[in-house]
Amino acid sequence: MKSLYSQTAFNCSKLITNAYSTSFSLGIKTLNKKYHEPIYAIYGFVRYADEIVDTFHSYDKKRLLSQFKGDTHKSIEEGISLNPVLHSFQEVVNEYKIDYHLIEAFLVSMEMDLSKKNYSDAEYKEYIYGSAEAVGLMCLKVFCEGDEEYYQSLSEPAKSLGSAFQKVNFLRDIKSDYNERGRVYFPGVNFSNFNAKDKQKIEEDIRIDFQNSLTGIRNLPGGVRPGVYLAYRYYTVLFKKITQLSPETIKTKRIRIHNFKKFLLWVKVIFFTNFYSANYNTSQCMSVL
């Protein structure tokens, strides 16, 4: 039986997830219950690292991130931490044998946020790998439950999905990233002169990522497929909304999907997944959705 301390640590990660992300919380609820705590733990870890670099403006971010990084590695090695977020995360890392290089890649991307304002092609790819693709692969490790061959077969589509999500986030948040943090993630893009050609090029890249991710979603375990597909649907709806807006609009307004529409998407995915899984195959279910 899980110790009371470990259980409260996982509860803290769940609380963080519910407080910070309505869409992610809905997605987790769609997963089989055995995956809830591990995914909450991963989200809590990445959320707090992101908070350090994005919001702790009155503090020494570099020192705090360095301390967080050291505490992360120490908790994994020792199998315990007095930081509940790190304690729940290390339990997941050790149980599911999450690769250290994925954690390191993520933390490197957070370090890049401390100093990088403009990105070359290589830096852009490195950042997306660490901040999004590596996190998706951590979750995939959990979903595959130790089956390395299965994990490897799904790793490329998982990276494409994470990449698509992050690039949509960049477009959605281009105003706040530039105005509040001085960052422009897209290589060769000048925020002041961001135009339709720049936007269309980015959107085409995102479309390719979404297309490449679908095979992987279809082949996920049944207990996680609806949740991941819900995230896919949410982001494709958000992406479609962004494609219909001018560059000037997304430079001045953060684009979002209202919570009620998120809930309707959740209901639709749950209903059709349950109905079609009982009567048809997964591909037919996803085509209807």
Side-chain angles (χ1 to χ4, degrees):
M1 188 176 76
K2 186 174 292 180
S3 72
L4 181 59
Y5 175 66
S6 291
Q7 187 60 64
T8 55
F10 278 100
N11 289 344
C12 286
S13 294
K14 178 180 179 180
L15 178 66
I16 292 163
T17 307
N18 291 335
Y20 276 95
S21 178
T22 303
S23 54
F24 206 84
S25 297
L26 284 173
I28 292 177
K29 287 180 174 68
T30 316
L31 304 175
N32 185 291
K33 286 186 178 180
K34 68 179 178 178
Y35 301 113
H36 287 194
E37 288 188 343
I39 303 305
Y40 283 135
I42 292 172
Y43 183 88
F45 169 74
V46 301
R47 179 70 263 168
Y48 268 21
D50 197 53
E51 280 298 288
I52 293 172
V53 299
D54 276 356
T55 64
F56 292 178
H57 304 309
S58 301
Y59 302 91
D60 185 342
K61 297 180 182 180
K62 185 175 182 180
R63 181 187 64 80
L64 288 174
L65 185 61
S66 177
Q67 180 180 325
F68 186 78
K69 180 178 179 179
D71 289 346
T72 297
H73 290 301
K74 185 177 180 181
S75 70
I76 295 168
E77 291 166 4
E78 296 183 354
I80 193 169
S81 175
L82 295 182
N83 178 329
V85 171
L86 292 183
H87 182 73
S88 60
F89 181 66
Q90 67 79 22
E91 282 210 1
V92 173
V93 170
N94 286 317
E95 179 178 353
Y96 293 93
K97 304 296 186 294
I98 292 176
D99 299 320
Y100 264 53
H101 75 83
L102 297 177
I103 301 166
E104 187 62 26
F106 168 74
L107 291 170
V108 166
S109 71
M110 295 299 96
E111 290 172 348
M112 293 172 77
D113 268 338
L114 292 176
S115 58
K116 293 297 299 179
K117 303 300 180 185
N118 295 283
Y119 286 74
S120 66
D121 286 337
E123 290 167 338
Y124 176 64
K125 291 175 182 177
E126 181 182 10
Y127 184 86
I128 288 177
Y129 176 75
S131 65
E133 295 177 15
V135 177
L137 292 174
M138 291 183 207
C139 295
L140 185 61
K141 274 283 187 179
V142 172
F143 299 154
C144 292
E145 300 183 75
D147 188 332
E148 186 63 22
E149 184 177 351
Y150 190 25
Y151 169 80
Q152 292 297 335
S153 72
L154 296 176
S155 61
E156 288 304 317
K159 287 164 63 177
S160 293
L161 188 62
S163 178
F165 288 174
Q166 185 64 291
K167 291 168 186 175
V168 171
N169 286 341
F170 287 162
L171 273 179
R172 179 195 64 188
D173 298 334
I174 193 169
K175 173 182 176 290
S176 59
D177 280 334
Y178 182 78
N179 291 338
E180 298 173 17
R181 306 173 189 99
R183 302 175 193 151
V184 178
Y185 289 102
F186 299 114
V189 169
N190 183 323
F191 179 81
S192 300
N193 296 318
F194 183 59
N195 56 43
K197 185 177 180 181
D198 293 329
K199 183 170 176 284
Q200 289 167 4
K201 181 179 179 182
I202 294 164
E203 289 168 352
E204 182 56 34
D205 189 34
I206 293 171
R207 287 189 185 94
I208 292 170
D209 281 332
F210 274 131
Q211 290 168 3
N212 291 340
S213 70
L214 271 175
T215 300
I217 297 174
R218 291 190 179 103
N219 290 307
L220 283 168
V224 303
R225 194 182 305 124
V228 176
Y229 189 63
L230 175 63
Y232 171 90
R233 288 288 293 130
Y234 165 73
Y235 268 93
T236 53
V237 169
L238 177 60
F239 177 57
K240 182 178 180 180
K241 187 173 182 179
I242 290 172
T243 62
Q244 295 171 342
L245 300 173
S246 68
E248 291 73 24
T249 299
I250 66 171
K251 282 175 60 177
T252 57
K253 179 182 178 182
R254 187 181 192 270
I255 312 306
R256 64 186 300 271
I257 303 298
H258 291 295
N259 287 342
F260 181 68
K261 189 163 186 178
K262 292 178 186 177
F263 178 72
L264 289 180
L265 279 172
W266 181 76
V267 171
K268 187 177 180 182
V269 168
I270 293 297
F271 173 79
F272 279 100
T273 299
N274 290 339
F275 176 78
Y276 272 78
S277 62
N279 299 280
Y280 303 96
N281 62 40
T282 305
S283 296
Q284 287 172 304
C285 173
M286 291 173 65
S287 68
V288 170
L289 293 167

